Amino acid sequence: MNFLKTTALVALMGSIAIPAMAEQRVLKLFTDASDPAPKAAFEQLVKGFEAENPDVKVEVNTFDHEGYKTAIRNFLTADSPDLANWYAGNRMAPFVNAGQFTDVSDVWEENGLKDSLGSALKSMTIDGKQWGVPYTYYQWGIYYNKDVYKKAGVEVPKTWDEFISNCKKFKEMGVDCLTTGTKALWPAAGIFDYLDLRTNGYDFHMKLTSGEIPWTDDRVKAVFAEWKKVLPYTTKNVAAIDWQDAVSNIVQGKAANYVMGNFAVATFKDGGMTNDTLGFMDFPTINPDIPRAEEAPTDTIHIPAGAKNKADAKKFLAYVAKADVQTKMNEELGQLPINKNSSVGDDPYLQAGFKILSTADGGIAQFFDRDAPAQMAKAGMEGFQEFMAYPDHLDAILERLEKVRQRVYKN
């Protein structure tokens, strides 16, 4: 009799449990977060979302970085997941223009994201609509040797004129005012981007990198005119050295300043620099009438147009936009949260970056090789490298870049 009662009770419990399990919905997430830190950050993110939404199971498919660049073009047209990570700005534009990303303006409106994620609003907006949610970025700026500044008796500059004035003092000491290493091309793009953002502003820079403005435009020439001012004080033969070699120039006091991303801090410290000797400053002002824009490559999550579970996908975007979620996620990534109400640890470079990015009212550029198509980016960076060695080639360089623009953007 007891056996029969037990059997009946188990059957009853099973009949209750089975419908509950059957109600659990699936959310498919495709990502290229394959390195250890990003992978751990996404695992933490998914675990937290599932804890808040026990009726949703997130299935994650992780690709390697290079494979993902090809895979996303295939899975967006063939078998879309519900969520996919990508990048802000002009990198997401082709998918938006092709109708492959979902308009998530309602997620932004309902969760107050235009305020809390305000620094990334421009880079997430096309045709007045938002097409994804950003979750991490890192700052670019100028890293400098504090001891060299002390020996030269100069202050950290606020304007480009002050920066150039300091260069003359550094040259008297036999120190390069600016160093970089362009063997791999991309470090020169950081200099160009900031000079353009400070000379012409974010909107102009985005139009230039999206092919709407000729490279022979006088406003582009004005950017190179500012760059030419610092060339006499820049490390020679930068095309022959890698970015890590230029780090050594700062570490050894052979150079004072380096336009670089925050990922380089570990390399500076591996060379022996400390928080007491390595400084960070925002790129100086050139035109004070232009709203301050910054360079910060931004990672994002989107809902493909072919997603089957858009309702839960929008819940996921709202979750990843939360201040506390972005704080935890970026602690794992070692980068910066975009939500202005998030917090960062004691690292002074992250604190400085969080401050300048959270208050950037001009916009957030993604970096030249993210903002421009691959062919234009390669040609542009080759041109920047050539200009640094042969500034008198400028007209020929710009005419060449203009021909590339007309070919790359003709469709």
Side-chain angles (χ1 to χ4, degrees):
M1 188 65 181
N2 288 339
F3 172 78
L4 292 174
K5 285 183 176 177
T6 301
T7 302
L9 179 60
V10 169
L12 177 61
M13 292 179 66
S15 68
I16 295 171
I18 287 172
M21 290 295 291
E23 289 175 2
Q24 191 173 49
R25 302 181 299 279
V26 172
L27 196 56
K28 293 183 178 179
L29 166 63
F30 285 7
T31 174
D32 65 347
S34 55
D35 289 336
K39 188 175 182 181
F42 266 79
E43 288 173 350
Q44 180 190 72
L45 174 69
V46 168
K47 186 177 179 180
F49 176 78
E50 289 180 334
E52 281 196 10
N53 300 273
D55 52 345
V56 180
K57 171 66 177 176
V58 182
E59 294 181 353
V60 181
N61 190 352
T62 304
F63 297 70
D64 69 85
H65 295 304
E66 292 307 312
Y68 192 78
K69 293 175 185 176
T70 301
I72 190 170
R73 289 167 174 76
N74 295 327
F75 67 63
L76 287 181
T77 57
D79 186 20
S80 292
D82 301 304
L83 296 158
N85 79 297
W86 193 238
Y87 310 107
N90 286 347
R91 272 289 185 96
M92 73 174 187
F95 298 126
V96 173
N97 295 334
Q100 293 176 318
F101 280 167
T102 299
D103 173 10
V104 295
S105 302
D106 53 344
V107 178
W108 282 68
E109 291 293 343
E110 292 167 9
N111 295 278
L113 304 188
K114 287 184 176 178
D115 178 48
S116 60
L117 306 182
S119 63
L121 177 59
K122 280 192 173 183
S123 63
M124 297 305 301
T125 301
I126 295 177
D127 294 335
K129 302 172 184 175
Q130 289 71 54
W131 300 93
V133 164
Y135 61 90
T136 187
Y137 53 18
Y138 63 88
Q139 84 270 21
W140 273 68
I142 297 178
Y143 294 84
Y144 65 94
N145 187 316
K146 292 181 180 178
D147 290 338
V148 170
Y149 266 71
K150 288 178 184 174
K151 289 178 183 175
V154 296
E155 300 293 326
V156 174
K158 298 293 185 186
T159 68
W160 188 237
D161 287 343
E162 292 173 355
F163 187 91
I164 298 300
S165 178
N166 285 352
C167 288
K168 297 171 185 173
K169 297 287 183 64
F170 293 132
K171 188 170 186 177
E172 291 172 2
M173 296 169 55
V175 171
D176 295 331
C177 181
L178 182 67
T179 194
T180 189
T182 68
K183 191 174 183 179
L185 296 178
W186 58 265
I191 302 172
F192 173 82
D193 282 355
Y194 261 114
L195 288 169
D196 193 25
L197 291 171
R198 294 291 185 267
T199 303
N200 295 311
Y202 175 85
D203 291 340
F204 179 91
H205 187 66
M206 289 298 104
K207 288 180 180 178
L208 178 66
T209 52
S210 61
E212 298 176 43
I213 293 174
W215 279 85
T216 49
D217 190 289
D218 285 344
R219 291 167 292 181
V220 178
K221 293 178 181 178
V223 176
F224 285 92
E226 296 298 337
W227 199 342
K228 191 174 182 180
K229 292 178 182 176
V230 78
L231 289 182
Y233 311 106
T234 302
T235 300
K236 304 302 179 189
N237 300 320
V238 294
I241 64 175
D242 284 314
W243 72 268
Q244 296 95 333
D245 301 319
V247 167
S248 296
N249 289 338
I250 298 290
V251 171
Q252 297 170 20
K254 295 179 179 177
N257 302 290
Y258 193 0
V259 179
M260 186 43 64
N262 195 59
F263 56 84
V265 168
T267 308
F268 283 119
K269 292 191 172 180
D270 287 344
M273 298 192 83
T274 68
N275 294 350
D276 293 329
T277 58
L278 178 64
F280 172 78
M281 71 173 98
D282 195 10
F283 198 94
T285 300
I286 294 178
N287 183 345
D289 297 328
I290 292 176
R292 179 171 58 80
E294 300 293 343
E295 185 107 292
T298 306
D299 290 356
T300 55
I301 300 178
H302 305 266
I303 301 176
K308 296 177 179 61
N309 186 1
K310 290 188 179 181
D312 287 325
K314 289 186 176 182
K315 284 184 182 177
F316 192 92
L317 292 188
Y319 178 79
V320 78
K322 289 182 176 180
D324 59 333
V325 172
Q326 293 211 351
T327 294
K328 290 180 182 177
M329 195 173 187
N330 282 280
E331 284 174 355
E332 196 72 50
L333 291 168
Q335 297 191 160
L336 295 170
I338 290 146
N339 192 310
K340 69 177 186 180
N341 301 314
S342 298
S343 59
V344 296
D346 296 332
D347 183 294
Y349 309 103
L350 288 179
Q351 288 183 338
F354 187 64
K355 182 178 179 181
I356 66 167
L357 296 185
S358 298
T359 57
D361 55 352
I364 299 292
Q366 299 302 301
F367 200 76
F368 191 77
D369 63 358
R370 284 191 179 196
D371 287 324
Q375 281 182 285
M376 190 73 248
K378 182 175 182 295
M381 293 188 292
E382 289 171 346
F384 304 154
Q385 185 192 59
E386 181 180 346
F387 172 74
M388 293 187 75
Y390 307 102
D392 55 328
H393 290 190
L394 179 61
D395 288 342
I397 293 169
L398 295 181
E399 287 173 7
R400 187 173 72 235
L401 293 182
E402 175 55 17
K403 289 180 180 177
V404 175
R405 181 188 76 89
Q406 292 179 13
R407 184 176 69 250
V408 168
Y409 299 94
K410 65 180 180 181
N411 295 323

